[in-house]
Amino acid sequence: MDGTTQPGESPSSGEIKGFSVPAGFVGLRRALALCWMSIAALGRSLAVSGAITLVGPGLGMVPRAMEGVRALSNRRRALAARWSGVRIPAPAGRRPPVPAGASGVVARYRWIMNDPQMRREFVWVLSDPVAGAFLAFFPIALLLGSAWGIFLAFFGVSLSEEWDGLWYYFIPIGGSATAVFAGVLGVLHLPLALWVAPRAVRKHALYTHAMLAPSENEMMAGRIEHLATTRSDAADTQMAEIRRIERDLHDGAQARLVAMGMNLDTAERLLETNPEAVRALLIEARQSSAKALQELRNLVRGIHPPVLADRGLVDAVRSLAMVCPVPTEVTVDLPGRPEMPIESAAYFAISEILTNVAKHSNADRAWIDVRYDHGMLRVTITDTGHGGADAARGTGLRGVERRLATFDGVLAVNSPVNGPTMVTMELPCELSSPKTTSSLGTD
Amino acid sequence: MRIVLAEDHFLLRDGLIRLLEAHGHEIVAAVENGADLLESLTEKQPDVAIVDVRLPPNFTDEGLRAVLAARRETPDLPVLLLSQYVEPLYARELLSSGGCGIGYILKGRVTNGAQFLDSIRRVAEGGTVMDPDVISQLLVRKERDENMSTLSGREREVLVWVAQGRSNAGIAQSLFISEKAVAKHISSIFTKLGLLPADGDNRRVLAVLAYLDQ
């Protein structure tokens, strides 16, 4: 392969060096599978072309035929990533909602015709039976050539007599010498096929990338759409948060301070006449001040917990685990501290999920695992509860998902009925300076 | 008593010095940052130190760190930590740094002078004083712990008071039961938590440790 990094290629994986027999066989098997897929692509392309040429009722078939193409291309994307490490970004745009009935068919048709990704897939499915099949079949052809050469070494002479002359490539098979030469050439084909096969599979993936990857502009458009959504979500979340803080202040500390002021006012007026009542009022005022402080502390804990500010995510999570009603173990592999906003987002997400565990799961144990690899902060929370949690239903999990999306983070919930539940979140981030060791290493 | 005081807020520091001196204590050092605190703790070897958790220059947990470092040098150096917030994690770190002569209370408690002076005295005598706020935060969890779940409601109540550093007499007064009953509850707690008489006087502290930590 050439040294430059191909588009969509992850630099670490997929590189092929040298010669290896097992890799060759794997490559051959994959090439064969790709050949079959090219044949499938031929079938789909015929279906689409047929549907397009059938004017009238055929138009209704186009969307369905294109769905088949989309399924096939999705499979090819997955294989390119798995076999060759070539990542082909999935289609950016989402399918718009369509009305039912005949107008729906027209709308769908129009959308398909205007969607650049659909057009790209259409071209791909037409070309794949030729170009894709050629790439995939090349190592197979070498293998067949090898078998043919070896066959000729043994039976070439007699076969040549029977068929009135026979050629192996450029060699006319005339006698035993040329037949053996064909056999030697055939044997030499074998390592060549093994060497070529993995490279052909990789070239095939790159070709698929060239055919299917969305253009820069489309990626940009998709990204912008994503950013717009997450930004408006972030604004909503922030507004809700501010409103909650305002309400808490208004109903809590502020009300208590008003009461305190009134008490002190009354006390001032009664100072001369009724010292006993003043004493009671002062006691009440002091209690109010203590309660107001308590409420302010709780409020601050909800905005930015002191332990998070002091010690960072790891100790803050340990602290969460300590006060969680479900006994929770924490394991950590974090070589530094993420940036503040990321820490905060991760902290509140974990806090929310732990609250869910305590409230709904009925679990008797939970585990939190925090680690960092490949530029991702990954947090896994597992519990032994009865499962059945669903991000689509619970507003809590939806909220967590939206909070994380602001930082391009994702949330995955795996919660079969009867448990266990495993919630995984991933946040892309960078770590700052190495962590100063906390005074208590283990949990 | 000879006291080292670490508090960065001028008014509070001044107020505390006045309060403590009025009650016949001697302030051997009044510092305002973590580095100075560690130095004076190791140098002056006070009878008790009163330390604000959040100190300059970073305003995070410098006070706590200095205290933990000092207690590694001098185990059981009596320290009373003051904080705007109480954090169970810090309470546990303090307790595992020796378990004797530890106090961790909210700054707001300073306003109750008598109680505050009492806390100082108890810490200086090697007792444990935990803010009710820490305990209430941990209470949720401990209810479900195995050892703790064997304790009866009354015993758990008594343990909360023990954790706050109260004497048997004090607990009896607060719970409106006889001192003898308190002693009975406490020995029952010791049995249930598996603390043998051989552990001696430390058992009260050990019970609190068991309470705050597994």
Side-chain angles (χ1 to χ4, degrees):
Chain A
M1 297 291 104
D2 52 5
T4 58
T5 305
Q6 299 285 347
E9 181 183 349
S10 55
S12 58
S13 63
E15 216 170 326
I16 304 159
K17 283 192 191 111
F19 175 79
S20 133
V21 176
F25 278 113
V26 169
L28 278 172
R29 213 178 54 233
R30 289 174 177 174
L32 195 62
L34 289 173
C35 282
W36 289 121
M37 286 187 81
S38 283
I39 293 172
L42 180 67
R44 307 257 159 116
S45 75
L46 287 177
V48 175
S49 316
I52 288 177
T53 44
L54 279 176
V55 187
L59 286 187
M61 308 280 284
V62 174
R64 182 157 307 164
M66 281 314 290
E67 254 157 46
V69 172
R70 170 63 54 94
L72 192 69
S73 70
N74 280 342
R75 175 127 182 76
R76 280 283 286 274
R77 276 192 198 92
L79 286 183
R82 186 139 54 91
W83 287 351
S84 311
V86 176
R87 279 180 210 294
I88 305 169
R94 226 164 296 128
R95 189 183 305 246
V98 284
S103 61
V105 172
V106 174
R108 233 143 72 112
Y109 183 74
R110 217 195 254 135
W111 174 68
I112 280 175
M113 285 298 142
N114 287 326
D115 182 41
Q117 184 63 28
M118 276 293 175
R119 242 177 295 158
R120 193 172 297 118
E121 280 177 12
F122 181 58
V123 173
W124 168 76
V125 84
L126 287 181
S127 75
D128 196 62
V130 184
F134 172 75
L135 274 174
F137 190 66
F138 188 57
I140 309 285
L142 285 174
L143 193 68
L144 292 177
S146 156
W148 181 231
I150 294 166
F151 175 80
L152 286 181
F154 295 104
F155 308 106
V157 180
S158 53
L159 206 63
S160 168
E161 274 165 17
E162 203 171 310
W163 287 3
D164 284 337
L166 187 63
W167 290 71
Y168 183 68
Y169 295 99
F170 50 90
I171 308 159
I173 308 290
S176 55
T178 46
V180 168
F181 189 43
V184 170
L185 269 184
V187 169
L188 286 179
H189 269 55
L190 202 61
L192 189 64
L194 290 177
W195 187 82
V196 163
R199 286 161 177 80
V201 169
R202 191 175 157 70
K203 274 284 181 214
H204 192 273
L206 291 174
Y207 147 78
T208 311
H209 182 276
M211 294 301 290
L212 284 182
S215 72
E216 202 104 308
N217 275 345
E218 282 165 58
M219 300 279 283
M220 249 358 153
R223 179 85 188 132
I224 288 169
E225 195 187 317
H226 172 78
L227 287 178
T229 321
T230 52
R231 191 183 65 164
S232 90
D233 279 352
D236 285 352
T237 322
Q238 199 183 11
M239 203 55 230
E241 193 76 329
I242 288 173
R243 240 176 280 135
R244 181 184 66 81
I245 293 167
E246 187 267 340
R247 214 170 36 234
D248 283 2
L249 280 174
H250 186 266
D251 299 347
Q254 201 177 346
R256 298 218 183 273
L257 287 173
V258 170
M260 248 166 79
M262 279 158 60
N263 274 351
L264 292 174
D265 200 42
T266 320
E268 192 182 3
R269 273 191 284 111
L270 290 178
L271 200 56
E272 303 289 308
T273 53
N274 191 349
E276 264 316 296
V278 169
R279 174 194 292 275
L281 284 169
L282 286 179
I283 289 173
E284 208 180 310
R286 199 179 66 194
Q287 283 167 349
S288 284
S289 93
K291 286 216 180 90
L293 267 175
Q294 167 86 36
E295 277 160 7
L296 284 174
R297 271 197 299 274
N298 287 343
L299 192 62
V300 169
R301 232 186 265 282
I303 297 169
H304 192 65
V307 64
L308 184 63
D310 293 357
R311 293 283 188 85
L313 184 62
V314 172
D315 278 356
V317 170
R318 286 208 177 104
S319 170
L320 275 179
M322 268 184 88
V323 298
C324 178
V326 179
T328 306
E329 245 174 76
V330 184
T331 50
V332 178
D333 181 10
L334 204 61
R337 271 182 76 163
E339 278 168 25
M340 275 287 201
I342 302 268
E343 273 195 329
S344 175
Y347 174 86
F348 282 107
I350 295 170
S351 165
E352 174 75 33
I353 289 163
L354 276 186
T355 311
N356 279 349
V357 169
K359 257 202 235 160
H360 306 302
S361 78
N362 207 12
D364 52 12
R365 284 209 82 75
W367 294 268
I368 305 175
D369 182 72
V370 184
R371 59 186 59 251
Y372 182 81
D373 55 355
H374 292 103
M376 284 277 183
L377 176 69
R378 186 172 292 120
V379 181
T380 315
I381 299 160
T382 319
D383 70 59
T384 55
H386 54 55
D390 187 0
R393 266 186 317 132
T395 51
L397 283 174
R398 270 294 294 146
V400 171
E401 205 168 25
R402 246 181 285 149
R403 259 190 208 241
L404 294 179
T406 312
F407 300 95
D408 281 339
V410 288
L411 177 82
V413 180
N414 180 2
S415 180
V417 176
N418 295 329
T421 300
M422 188 163 111
V423 179
T424 310
M425 54 181 119
E426 282 188 345
L427 278 162
C429 67
E430 280 178 16
L431 298 186
S432 63
S433 63
K435 183 179 122 179
T436 43
T437 52
S438 73
S439 342
L440 196 76
T442 54
D443 196 68
Chain B
M1 276 185 281
R2 299 171 64 253
I3 295 178
V4 165
L5 176 68
E7 164 62 56
D8 60 305
H9 203 278
F10 166 72
L11 280 178
L12 189 54
R13 189 171 65 230
D14 209 43
L16 281 175
I17 292 176
R18 237 175 266 191
L19 175 75
L20 293 168
E21 283 182 343
H23 284 82
H25 297 303
E26 181 197 350
I27 308 293
V28 289
V31 298
E32 52 181 59
N33 64 61
D36 291 352
L37 170 63
L38 184 55
E39 201 184 301
S40 51
L41 280 181
T42 42
E43 246 173 47
K44 303 262 161 63
Q45 293 291 330
D47 296 325
V48 63
I50 299 169
V51 176
D52 184 6
V53 168
R54 196 167 273 201
L55 289 176
N58 295 329
F59 294 99
T60 60
D61 58 345
E62 281 82 357
L64 174 66
R65 281 172 198 277
V67 164
L68 291 173
R71 277 172 72 94
R72 268 194 292 275
E73 299 278 307
T74 322
D76 299 337
L77 173 77
V79 181
L80 177 66
L81 271 113
L82 303 178
S83 178
Q84 213 65 261
Y85 310 90
V86 284
E87 177 53 59
L89 186 79
Y90 296 172
R92 195 175 63 175
E93 289 182 4
L94 276 168
L95 286 167
S96 31
S97 76
C100 272
I102 282 291
Y104 186 36
I105 60 173
L106 278 172
K107 253 187 193 173
R109 314 277 178 215
V110 174
T111 52
N112 186 338
Q115 203 186 17
F116 177 61
L117 289 166
D118 189 44
S119 303
I120 296 173
R121 189 183 48 74
R122 284 205 302 253
V123 169
E125 286 166 3
T128 309
V129 178
M130 280 291 141
D131 198 278
D133 214 42
V134 188
I135 290 161
S136 69
Q137 280 186 57
L138 285 165
L139 203 60
V140 227
R141 161 73 170 279
K142 299 303 158 191
E143 306 252 294
R144 291 184 61 158
D145 267 12
E146 275 174 30
N147 259 343
M148 287 295 156
S149 62
T150 59
L151 299 187
S152 72
R154 193 52 136 183
E155 283 161 1
R156 206 169 300 146
E157 229 172 307
V158 170
L159 187 52
V160 171
W161 287 102
V162 172
Q164 288 175 34
R166 296 304 176 96
S167 67
N168 286 10
I171 297 171
Q173 215 172 10
S174 314
L175 291 178
F176 303 110
I177 51 178
S178 72
E179 218 173 301
K180 220 169 151 190
V182 173
K184 222 180 92 203
H185 284 311
I186 289 179
S187 76
S188 162
I189 292 170
F190 288 163
T191 317
K192 286 185 180 173
L193 296 183
L195 302 171
L196 303 170
D199 297 327
D201 292 341
N202 243 349
R203 281 199 293 174
R204 279 177 96 90
V205 176
L206 291 176
V208 175
L209 266 176
Y211 180 74
L212 293 171
D213 201 71
Q214 280 140 312

